[in-house]
Amino acid sequence: MNIKKITRKGKLYAVYFDVLEANDGLSFISDDEDFIQVGIWNYSPKKILPAHYHNEYPREATRTCESVFVVRGKIKCNIYTKSGSFIDTFDLNENEMVMQLYGAHEYEILDKTIVVETKNGPYFGPEKDRKRIDVQKN
C-alpha cells in the first residue's frame, strides 16, 4: 500500500492513501499514539470478526484530528503550519483518504463530491474547537 506522509520539522501533519490498495487483512494507517485511529479491513467473504467491545479508559487528547474519505468526486488538500506557512498540497480522488494530524488544513472541492469526515471527540463546536487563520499561498 502506498502511504504518503507529510512532515515538517519532525512533526507528522498528514497521511493520505488509496483505500483500495489495502493489504489483505487488517492494516492500521495510524500509529497507536495518534489522536485519531484509522484502519482498513480487506477480508474475504465468510471472515468473522468475533464479537467484542472496547474497554473504558481515560484518554486525553490535546488537539482535534480529522480524517476525510472521498466517496465520490475530488478535493484538493492544502497543508499549513498553525501560523499559516504553506507546507504541501495534494488532490484526493474517489476512494482516497487523508488523516489530518497536526497543523492547519484547507479543502477545495474540485468536482461534485461526497466526503465522509471523522474526528476524535468530544467536539466543542466551531467557535471553541477551531481557529481560522490567514494563509500564505504558494
Side-chain angles (χ1 to χ4, degrees):
M1 179 169 199
N2 185 16
I3 299 172
K4 298 160 199 97
K5 296 183 177 188
I6 297 174
T7 60
R8 184 169 188 177
K9 295 183 180 178
K11 288 195 185 292
L12 180 60
Y13 279 75
V15 177
Y16 62 103
F17 50 92
D18 185 330
V19 299
L20 295 182
E21 294 177 359
N23 299 327
D24 288 342
L26 172 63
S27 301
F28 263 88
I29 307 305
S30 54
D31 293 327
D32 288 348
E33 64 273 4
D34 291 337
F35 290 148
I36 192 164
Q37 297 292 303
V38 174
I40 300 175
W41 299 1
N42 185 7
Y43 294 118
S44 298
K46 300 191 180 188
K47 168 74 175 172
I48 295 175
L49 303 172
H52 67 283
Y53 67 91
H54 296 271
N55 295 321
E56 293 184 23
Y57 288 102
R59 292 177 169 98
E60 182 177 331
T62 57
R63 65 183 182 274
T64 302
C65 298
E66 72 183 41
S67 64
V68 297
F69 173 74
V70 178
V71 176
R72 180 174 63 217
K74 184 177 185 177
I75 64 174
K76 177 179 287 298
C77 300
N78 297 312
I79 308 297
Y80 304 90
T81 64
K82 287 182 180 180
S83 62
S85 295
F86 177 80
I87 296 176
D88 205 346
T89 187
F90 54 90
D91 291 347
L92 281 183
N93 300 294
E94 290 182 13
N95 299 310
E96 293 182 333
M97 184 174 193
V98 62
M99 295 171 22
Q100 306 283 1
L101 297 166
Y102 192 79
H105 48 271
E106 173 183 64
Y107 304 116
E108 179 182 346
I109 307 303
L110 301 176
D111 291 332
K112 178 71 175 156
T113 301
I114 296 175
V115 167
V116 176
E117 175 185 341
T118 60
K119 62 181 94 189
N120 56 318
Y123 184 63
F124 302 109
E127 290 77 30
K128 188 172 183 180
D129 203 76
R130 70 179 180 200
K131 180 178 179 172
R132 302 275 188 209
I133 62 169
D134 292 323
V135 298
Q136 298 130 27
K137 300 254 181 178
N138 281 4

